[in-house]
Amino acid sequence: MLDYILNTAQAFEREHGIAPDVIYINPLHYEQLTRFSPELFEPGNRLQLGFRLVIVPANVLAHPAASLL
């Protein structure tokens, strides 16, 4: 899931010439992230994704989407 989210961010940057500051995900995406990349959510983690994750309902969003706010 992390690879897919990073690819989504990179595709946005290639298309628009600027990196996104938000990636929208649904609760299932979030669950997969916490299961397969728990280090992202550990206290004191120094790894920075470069964007915020915003969780929206699954019936609104099937796949991660990037945006610049």
Side-chain angles (χ1 to χ4, degrees):
M1 179 52 60
L2 181 58
D3 288 342
Y4 190 87
I5 289 172
L6 293 176
N7 286 335
T8 300
Q10 291 169 347
F12 181 94
E13 187 169 2
R14 281 192 303 274
E15 183 176 341
H16 300 285
I18 189 166
D21 56 0
V22 172
I23 301 289
Y24 296 101
I25 61 175
N26 68 34
L28 178 59
H29 302 142
Y30 181 75
E31 179 185 331
Q32 290 177 350
L33 270 177
T34 58
R35 185 178 329 141
F36 297 112
S37 301
E39 64 279 1
L40 292 175
F41 305 96
E42 291 176 354
N45 175 20
R46 293 182 179 238
L47 178 65
Q48 299 292 321
L49 292 174
F51 48 79
R52 290 183 298 160
L53 293 173
V54 175
I55 301 170
V56 297
N59 64 341
V60 174
L61 183 73
H63 301 287
S67 181
L68 183 64
L69 296 180

